Each structure stands twice: as C-alpha cells, then as structure tokens.
Amino acid sequence: MSIFPGHAARQIHVQSGQALVLGILLLGMLAIAMNALFSTGRLIGVKARQLNTVDAAAYSGALIQARALNMQAYINIAQIGHQMAMAHLVTLGSWAKFSATQGQQANVGNPPAYLIGMMFGSGHMQAYQSARKARAIANIANPGNELFQAFEAHDKTVHNVLQAASLAIDKTLESARNRAIEKVILANYPEPHIRKELSWEVQHDNWQGFSAVFEPTGNYRSLIEQVAGVYRFLDERNHVRKNAWMVNKTCPWKRHELRRRGQTVLDEKGNWQSIDTESYHALRSNRWIGCYFREYPMGWGWVPGNANSMAMDLPHTQTPPDNFSGIDFWRWVRQATQWNIYGGNQNPLANSRAVAARQRWQGGGLANYVDIANAGRQSSVAFTLSLTRKNAWGHDFTVNSRAQTFFERPQARTDRRIEKANFWHPFWQARLVDTGLKVLE
C-alpha cells in the first residue's frame, strides 16, 4: 500500500499524456513518408512510361528503315527479273523474224531444200522446209504487235513503277521514319494535356549519305549479263556444218558450209539486241581470186531495241543488193565491203538483210538503281531518339533511346565468305542498342 497515493495518481496521468504525443508524432512522420513514397512512385511511373514510349518509338523508326531497305532490295531483284524477261522477248522477236524469212526463202527455193539435204543431211533439209509454216508469224515481232506489247509493258514497269518507287523510297525514308516515331509517341500519350508537355528530337542520325543513286554501268551490267548466262535460251546460237566430200581440187581442204549464227547482247546504251541468221556458203573458184565462199542467205532477223547500229560488231552493209544478176557476188564484195569471203564464220549478207529489215522496239534501257554509297565505310544506320516531358508533377524528364538498322544474313553463305551490307538481299533488321556504347557504323 502506497504511503503517497496522490503522487502515484499524478504520475500515471502524466505518463498517459506523453504516449499520446508520441503517437501523434509517429503518425505525422508516417503520413510524410507515405506521401513521399506516393510521390516517388508517381514519378517512377511517369519515367517508366516515358522510357517504354521512347524505346517503342525508336525501335519503330529503325523498323521502318529496315523495311524500306528491304524493299529496295526487292526492287533491285525485280529489276533484274524484268531485264531477263525483256531479253527473252527480244530473242523471241529475232527468232520470229528469222523463221519467217527462212520460210520465205524455202518457198522460193533460194537455196533449194533438196540441195541443203544433199549437202548437210536430211535433218537440216526438214528444218529448212518446216520453216514454211512459220511465215504466219512474220508480223508478231513488229512494233505494236504481241511481242512488242509485252516488251513495252516490262519497260514501263522498269522505269515508271520500279525505278520511280525506288527513288521515292530513298527520298522519303527519313520523313517516313520520323512520322512513324511521332505516331508511336502520340499513341502512348492519348491525353491532350500531356501531349502539350511533350517534345522529341532525333539526334546522332547517320542516314544522310548512306544511300546513293547509281547509273546502270560497270558491276550492274556485269551482274545482268551474268544472270542472263544462266538461261540457255539466251546463249549464243552458233553452229557450222560442212559437207563430207571434196568440192574443188584447187582447195581440197575446203567444203561447202552451213553457218547458223545468233546471239543476244546488251548494248552500250542498256538496250537488248538479238540477231539470228543462217546462210549456205557455197565454195566457188575462179582464176582471178581463187577459192571463195558465195553466200546464200536462208534466214535473218534482227531486233535492235532502241538502237540504229549492231552492238555485236558483225560484218554487214546498210545497202545490200536485192540480187546479183547484174554483178558477180565476189566482185561486189570487193568493191563495196571488206568482208572475208575466203574463210571466216560469219553471215555478212544475211546480217545486211536483217539490218535492212530492222524494226526497232523503243525502250528506255537500263534504269538507275539505289544502293549503299560505301558499304566499307558505313554498313548500318543508327540514330538516338530524345523524348522530353515538361512539368510532370513539377519535374522535367528527358530520356534517350538508340536504335540501329543493320544487315545480317539469317544463315551463313555456303562459300563462307562475309557479305557486305547491300540493297540486293532483304536481310535488313532493326534493334535497340545501348546509348552508352559506341555503335560501329
């Protein structure tokens, strides 16, 4: 039992008041901490949203670049395909003309079919005679008709569609990329009041000078000719057949010859040309010039594209006589040409007939193309996107993201060679890269 009961009661009363004060202080500190935690979380959320947005926008911009460069590759490949189609059409044109004129010569018997069979075998005679059925296609290769219409359609696609699209892609790629970036940013911030606080900028961009427009010369022509070499139909069509027995005792080693000549080439202006001829070269001899070959053209056809001269540099003359009733063949050759009628393997008179009957297919030639300006110096495209939001709960935030468009084959080449970046294979991809790392470009 306490001797001082009143004192104890006062002590208990004082202690209970001190606990209440401490509780109130603790609650205040907790409220302050909760408010700070809420503010920090809110700012973290603002920044996380901004980081996700800038990464998505930068990657989208790099993806637009990759798609554009892959489209350039598809266009360049398509251009090669159209050139191959045009080469085949030109070759079909010269074959059609050749077949028609051969049928004409077989009908008039100049030279006679039986003579060809006697000298060179029944197979050549039958081929010569069957050409009579081809006279109906004499006009198929003329301008305005079927083959030319198909050729013209390919030529328009080459210049008016593919080349125009390639140049437009190259010119507008940067603006298209920037529009894609803008759309992604605005899609992530649909709120009008937040959009007013946003600004963004593309920095450290190395697109300028990355690509260039090239004229179709040099390696481009070599590539087209290399691809054309894959098609047997475009191969040279050169054959010589000789009769088996001696013809003239003054030159016993020489024989009558059947010369078939044909080739498809790309001339210096980028136009396809095709010529096909066949001639019977009869061995003759006289006391003035000795043994020589008298040419009898059996068939001829030349489709020169948009050109006036032969790209093949074949012997010919612009004004061959219709016949040689008024002058000996050898005498005319000596007076008007420099042809080799003592040997050789050409059909100069048939070439001349083809030139005289030419009908040009108007075309634009090879088109300019877009490729990397210098793959050895710069093999990728990269940029940094900077996104700023002002007055986000009293704070300004700026975040950066770096994206890269790069060339990488999905599988290694079979020859194990390293392929430089180019606009001929659609292997362009996009990725984000560390803004703190130096990107090799």
Side-chain angles (χ1 to χ4, degrees), residues 235-240 258-263 275-277 314 345-347:
D235 285 350
E236 290 186 348
R237 304 170 287 277
N238 297 333
H239 310 283
V240 176
L258 187 65
R259 299 179 190 171
R260 173 72 168 91
R261 285 290 175 267
Q263 56 182 314
I275 188 169
D276 285 279
T277 63
L314 299 177
N345 57 6
Q346 299 295 332
N347 297 327

Side-chain angles (χ1 to χ4, degrees), residues 335-346:
Q335 294 175 359
T337 75
Q338 295 181 344
W339 298 347
N340 176 18
I341 60 174
Y342 303 102
N345 57 6
Q346 299 295 332

Side-chain angles (χ1 to χ4, degrees), residues 132-334:
R132 295 172 179 171
K133 300 177 183 179
R135 296 185 65 194
I137 65 172
N139 297 323
I140 194 174
N142 291 343
N145 290 343
E146 292 90 334
L147 292 181
F148 173 75
Q149 289 176 4
F151 177 88
E152 188 177 41
H154 283 286
D155 187 70
K156 288 182 177 179
T157 300
V158 164
H159 293 277
N160 299 344
V161 179
L162 295 178
Q163 179 181 243
S166 180
L167 297 178
I169 291 171
D170 186 62
K171 184 178 180 180
T172 62
L173 186 149
E174 186 175 6
S175 61
R177 176 201 66 190
N178 293 343
R179 286 196 302 271
I181 290 173
E182 179 181 12
K183 287 185 177 181
V184 172
I185 292 175
L186 296 180
N188 280 272
Y189 288 98
E191 305 90 341
H193 67 283
I194 297 181
R195 288 184 175 184
K196 296 178 181 179
E197 302 168 351
L198 296 176
S199 62
W200 57 88
E201 181 183 8
V202 175
Q203 303 170 342
H204 311 298
D205 180 13
N206 66 347
W207 167 251
Q208 292 297 326
F210 178 70
S211 65
V213 179
F214 294 89
E215 294 184 354
T217 58
N219 292 335
Y220 185 77
R221 288 178 58 94
S222 298
L223 174 62
I224 291 178
E225 291 169 348
Q226 182 179 357
V227 175
V230 174
Y231 299 95
R232 296 291 304 275
F233 188 71
L234 303 179
D235 285 350
E236 290 186 348
R237 304 170 287 277
N238 297 333
H239 310 283
V240 176
R241 182 69 181 269
K242 299 181 180 182
N243 73 302
W245 60 87
M246 185 181 71
V247 177
N248 194 304
K249 62 180 181 181
T250 60
C251 47
W253 63 93
K254 291 186 177 183
R255 302 289 188 270
H256 298 306
E257 294 184 4
L258 187 65
R259 299 179 190 171
R260 173 72 168 91
R261 285 290 175 267
Q263 56 182 314
T264 304
V265 299
L266 189 65
D267 67 24
E268 60 182 8
K269 294 183 179 180
N271 295 292
W272 289 101
Q273 294 191 21
S274 179
I275 188 169
D276 285 279
T277 63
E278 187 171 37
S279 290
Y280 166 50
H281 293 261
L283 186 63
R284 298 282 187 267
S285 177
N286 62 44
R287 58 181 178 177
W288 293 281
I289 64 171
C291 293
Y292 68 97
F293 287 102
R294 164 63 161 97
E295 181 181 355
Y296 293 89
M298 296 169 57
W300 56 86
W302 178 42
V303 175
N306 194 19
N308 286 317
S309 60
M310 282 190 175
M312 306 84 165
D313 194 26
L314 299 177
H316 68 280
T317 180
Q318 296 286 341
T319 56
D322 294 332
N323 58 69
F324 293 92
S325 59
I327 186 173
D328 291 329
F329 173 80
W330 65 270
R331 198 182 302 276
W332 173 81
V333 168
R334 277 194 158 187

